[in-house]
Amino acid sequence: MGPTPENTSHESAKAHRFSGYRNREILHIFNTFFHNESTGGILLLVCAIVAVTLASVPGGEWFESIWTTHASIGIGDFSIEMSLRHWINDALMAIFFFVVGLEIKREMLVGQLSSIKRSALPIVAALGGMLVPAGIYWAFNAGHPESIQGWGIPMATDIAFAIGILSLLGNRVPPSLKVFLTALAIVDDIGAIIVLAIFYPTHALHLEYLAYAGLILAVLAAFNALKVKNKYLYILPGIVMWYFTFLSGIHATIAGVLLAMVIPSKGSINEIRFQSRISLLLEKFKLTSNRKTIVLTSPEQQHIIHSMSTELKSVDPLLHRFESKLHPIVTFIIMPLFALANAGVALDFSSISSGGLSPVTLGIVLGLLIGKPAGIFLFSLVSIRLKLAARPTGVTLTQLLSISVLGGIGFTMSIFINNLAFSSESLVDIGKISILVASASAAILGLIAMSLSCSGKAPELTAEEILPEETNRIKTRGKTGEPARKDI
């Protein structure tokens, strides 16, 4: 007996409700991420200002001496010694890249990058935002072998700063525009990681150490395939992999991204088993309740709560657990430390304009201020006109242009690449000053542009409108008249 129209309609409505619920959950994760990044961006700005101020005032040498102090970790005959700045840039930033890798993986599985249609616009926009500024830098520095390697500096967008600026406008910014900027910055991070791994080795490559790191990565990938969920079986080999990557000549932080790619993204039990077990435990909890509000639960209820906690841990992927635990550490500790250790440069503008503006300054400033917005907007516009990608719901072309200006904020990754691109300390300082000037200008201009293009409160959109239904991996088999719920 075939399905009746009533059954088909019921199944369609059920699929629609479930798909809408999934979208709301994705947006809930995004809203939490957006809030953390906006707060972190403000803290990052404060740390950058402190670092620049202390480096510029007389008697601030003590601040620089902190970061050049050497520290070592040793066990028996084994030891690693580096300056505090290098510990931050090579070790702590590996954790930063690990979290970035987890975010990229999550976005590719369930987020904005989870389907071709959904990811088309941010991917194309990010591609334009990398190629055009790199081309501008190359045009100004071609024929200058001492500075040509800096072409990767203006390619990156600092997600924390950009989101921090955007958050100042509150509910005036369409939510789909926030999603677009976040996805754009994450794709941008992917590009920066690839560029960093291939074009900016820290020293000559040592293939034997690279092979050791690759072997450990293969073992971790096997653990993932075998559904091993013990976090220590990933953390401890991951540290060893970081050490071999550190010795190999590829920047050690790349180990963080590689480790993120092999972290399990599925729980130990499936959704059906989880639902049935939790339902059973909830029923038991009700049966053992004395229907009184008390501070302490009964021993039976404590046992049930412990069992529920175990079930929650079983269904919660290791990827999500790592990301939720480490994201606040990266946002509020590692990134501020990076800013304090690396943004400190005396603002001596004569160094960037002696004998005319330096090609490095022209390449970085024009790359970030002109190349980034032009690349992001023009590539987006062409892809929309050719119907290769869809414009975000409720977003005007003027707002898309305005958000492109914020893409010129290139603080963290730009400074990171700047430190690797030049062997001359004077060029490193010129690069830092240029990045700070360009990023500050992009932040101010972007804020003004967004204020003008988002003049009033943005219209409220449903989760289905922000993440359009046809771009989801969950498809409905028909239409339903049930009204969409607003995302809260």
Side-chain angles (χ1 to χ4, degrees), residues 1-280:
M1 192 174 170
T4 64
E6 292 80 6
N7 289 338
T8 302
S9 177
H10 175 73
E11 289 296 323
S12 176
K14 184 178 178 182
H16 180 81
R17 286 195 300 271
F18 183 73
S19 181
Y21 174 77
R22 176 180 178 272
N23 276 3
R24 288 191 293 275
E25 287 304 302
I26 292 173
L27 287 176
H28 173 72
I29 294 171
F30 166 76
N31 288 332
T32 302
F33 171 82
F34 189 90
H35 175 74
N36 287 341
E37 287 291 343
S38 63
T39 308
I42 295 170
L43 179 59
L44 198 60
L45 175 62
V46 171
C47 290
I49 292 172
V50 169
V52 171
T53 302
L54 290 176
S56 302
V57 299
E61 294 80 9
W62 63 270
F63 186 71
E64 171 63 20
S65 67
I66 292 175
W67 310 113
T68 55
T69 303
H70 277 244
S72 64
I73 295 177
I75 303 174
D77 295 332
F78 171 82
S79 68
I80 308 178
E81 182 178 345
M82 291 187 286
S83 68
L84 289 181
R85 178 177 285 123
H86 279 98
W87 277 113
I88 292 169
N89 292 350
D90 290 348
L92 291 185
M93 287 298 284
I95 301 174
F96 163 79
F97 277 90
F98 176 60
V99 173
V100 168
L102 294 175
E103 290 169 355
I104 290 169
K105 188 172 182 178
R106 170 175 50 76
E107 285 293 313
M108 294 178 71
L109 291 173
V110 297
Q112 184 72 0
L113 307 180
S114 62
S115 72
I116 295 175
K117 286 184 179 180
R118 180 179 288 177
S119 62
L121 186 62
I123 288 176
V124 171
L127 186 63
M130 290 185 281
L131 293 178
V132 176
I136 288 176
Y137 184 94
W138 184 87
F140 281 103
N141 287 270
H144 298 273
E146 73 282 358
S147 64
I148 189 64
Q149 272 297 98
W151 57 268
I153 297 171
M155 292 176 66
T157 294
D158 191 290
I159 186 170
F161 266 140
I163 288 178
I165 295 298
L166 201 61
S167 67
L168 297 176
L169 297 173
N171 58 13
R172 293 166 58 185
V173 181
S176 50
L177 196 59
K178 297 177 183 178
V179 173
F180 168 73
L181 176 64
T182 305
L184 165 69
I186 288 175
V187 177
D188 213 312
D189 283 340
I190 297 175
I193 289 166
I194 294 171
V195 167
L196 185 66
I198 298 175
F199 299 102
Y200 292 99
T202 53
H203 52 74
L205 289 179
H206 295 286
L207 296 181
E208 66 275 21
Y209 294 122
L210 202 56
Y212 294 150
L215 181 61
I216 294 172
L217 184 65
V219 171
L220 293 175
F223 284 171
N224 190 342
L226 294 171
K227 300 181 179 180
V228 175
K229 298 297 190 295
N230 189 315
K231 63 183 178 182
Y232 297 107
L233 290 179
Y234 292 93
I235 293 173
L236 297 178
I239 293 172
V240 179
M241 183 173 69
W242 170 86
Y243 176 67
F244 284 130
T245 307
F246 174 76
L247 296 177
S248 72
I250 293 178
H251 202 278
T253 52
I254 299 302
V257 181
L258 296 176
L259 179 60
M261 294 300 106
V262 296
I263 296 297
S265 57
K266 296 180 181 179
S268 302
I269 61 175
N270 59 38
E271 293 178 13
I272 304 301
R273 290 176 65 190
F274 173 74
Q275 290 172 24
S276 62
R277 290 181 183 182
I278 289 295
S279 296
L280 179 61

Side-chain angles (χ1 to χ4, degrees), residues 11-13 15-17 19 469 474-480:
E11 289 296 323
S12 176
H16 180 81
R17 286 195 300 271
S19 181
E469 191 67 34
I474 297 177
K475 303 292 184 183
T476 57
R477 287 180 288 179
K479 294 183 179 179
T480 175

Side-chain angles (χ1 to χ4, degrees), residues 370-382:
I370 296 177
K372 265 288 185 181
I376 292 171
F377 180 71
L378 292 177
F379 274 57
S380 297
L381 184 62
V382 170

